[in-house]
Amino acid sequence: MAQEREPEKASLISIKMRAAQGGPHERGGRHISGEERIVREGDIEACLHEMLERATTHQRGKADFMNLKLQLVDMDCVVYKPMLDFSECVSRTAEEGRDVAVRELVAAGVTETAARAGVAAILALPDSMRGAMLLDAVTGGRVDHLGNRGVRVSNMDVADPDAFRRALAAKGLQGDHVREALVLASKVASGEGVVAELCWSDDPLYVTGYVGSVKNGYRRIPVLKQRNCGIGGRVFFVKPETDLDALRDYYEEQVVFITAGAKGYVTEKD
Ligand code: AMP
């Protein structure tokens, strides 16, 4: 198998996009889509083109506001974390999927009470949030106090796009949805104090979701919500003693590259 390359020390650029309908998010616009990549300088144009396409053709509606931020990445501040192992559960309906999600969360170390509270918290959302809710992995109580915004995980990408593509293809996987979800889930799982994550998409036609954890990897759940439902969400379950400020800072600020093909789970820069 080919050796995975570290990203070149040459300039890498972080590109972040968020799009809304009815004006900017901060003036009440409805969130349509968001994406971020860390790319080589030569790939900026292609990346911007893809982002524009995504914001104007999204299932949630056509965006009339788009915010783009480009920033040089300081390679000395980057850490590397491994991609979670991928495996698949069985579910044919949303109800079955939610039962599977609860089982998977419990297997990962969340109490059944907290697991059910997590599912209920996403189901109760009046519209999708931009970020994730943090729930206590024992009691199921919400601990982030960030309301409708939640915690937004940012500043991550694959360490080597080709190696990542090969690793996914070896599992019969392809496409942006899986890559993005695996990168995000791998960064989330690497957070200090996090037990597991529950996610299902807000894309109305994408009914698949997952439970992610360091313990059991990325457990894809084929059907976890009703078709044509435009509300999704994420819940991160944390140990009661977790330093929430440090965790939030790690999720929002720390630049993390996810490596595919790494053996085992490492917490140090490799
Ligand atoms: P998606 O998988 O992109 O359809 O997102 C599903 C839900 O996960 C969204 O409605 C948000 O609540 C949440 N979410 C999406 N992206 C992030 C992120 N970067 N960090 C935290 N939560 C997110």
Side-chain angles (χ1 to χ4, degrees):
M1 198 162 144
Q3 271 276 290
E4 184 165 353
R5 282 181 282 128
E6 272 202 9
E8 287 161 18
K9 294 287 179 208
S11 298
L12 288 174
I13 313 291
S14 150
I15 307 180
K16 293 179 184 170
M17 177 278 284
R18 62 184 165 93
Q21 195 177 53
H25 297 88
E26 50 277 25
R27 279 196 233 130
R30 179 169 181 264
H31 178 66
I32 295 293
S33 77
E35 189 183 0
E36 66 167 275
R37 302 294 311 275
I38 299 174
V39 300
R40 294 184 181 87
E41 264 183 297
D43 295 330
I44 292 177
E45 231 170 280
C47 181
L48 291 178
H49 187 80
E50 274 173 35
M51 286 179 169
L52 187 61
E53 179 82 10
R54 176 183 279 220
T56 50
T57 59
H58 202 275
Q59 303 280 358
R60 278 170 63 79
K62 192 170 157 82
D64 53 32
F65 167 85
M66 189 173 178
N67 178 295
L68 278 169
K69 183 169 155 190
L70 281 78
Q71 205 170 7
L72 193 68
V73 172
D74 180 355
M75 290 305 291
D76 292 335
C77 299
V78 169
V79 298
Y80 294 81
K81 300 287 177 178
M83 180 176 89
L84 290 180
D85 262 347
F86 178 95
S87 57
E88 192 146 25
C89 308
V90 177
S91 71
R92 281 163 299 241
T93 63
E95 291 71 28
E96 217 174 274
R98 284 175 212 141
D99 288 343
V100 172
V102 169
R103 270 208 306 277
E104 289 295 326
L105 287 166
V106 170
V110 175
T111 66
E112 187 170 338
T113 304
R116 292 198 184 282
V119 171
I122 299 181
L123 287 175
L125 288 174
D127 197 1
S128 293
M129 298 166 54
R130 287 198 56 233
M133 296 175 263
L134 297 189
L135 261 57
D136 184 301
V138 177
T139 66
R142 186 153 176 198
V143 293
D144 62 86
H145 311 301
L146 290 169
N148 201 27
R149 179 193 184 277
V151 176
R152 181 118 189 130
V153 185
S154 184
N155 291 311
M156 69 269 170
D157 207 333
V158 298
D160 180 336
D162 291 336
F164 211 83
R165 217 170 289 122
R166 282 195 303 273
L168 291 193
K171 299 260 183 191
L173 302 169
Q174 58 178 8
D176 291 343
H177 248 303
V178 180
R179 177 179 51 81
E180 285 168 18
L182 262 168
V183 167
L184 199 146
S186 301
K187 179 169 181 184
V188 169
S190 70
E192 191 73 44
V194 169
V195 180
E197 174 191 3
L198 168 66
C199 165
W200 68 82
S201 174
D202 49 34
D203 183 334
L205 300 182
Y206 196 75
V207 296
T208 303
Y210 66 84
V211 166
S213 69
V214 169
K215 188 169 176 209
N216 293 330
Y218 182 103
R219 298 281 291 154
R220 179 196 237 178
I221 303 174
V223 184
L224 191 45
K225 73 162 195 191
Q226 315 284 359
R227 207 170 166 77
N228 295 323
C229 166
I231 302 180
R234 279 186 159 84
V235 171
F236 306 158
F237 297 88
V238 299
K239 292 179 190 159
E241 68 276 13
T242 301
D243 181 339
L244 296 176
D245 290 337
L247 183 65
R248 186 174 166 199
D249 189 63
Y250 174 74
Y251 281 158
E252 294 185 346
E253 305 299 335
Q254 175 65 58
V255 179
V256 175
F257 280 122
I258 304 299
T259 58
K263 291 270 169 275
Y265 197 84
V266 290
T267 49
E268 297 302 315
K269 181 172 171 167
D270 54 13

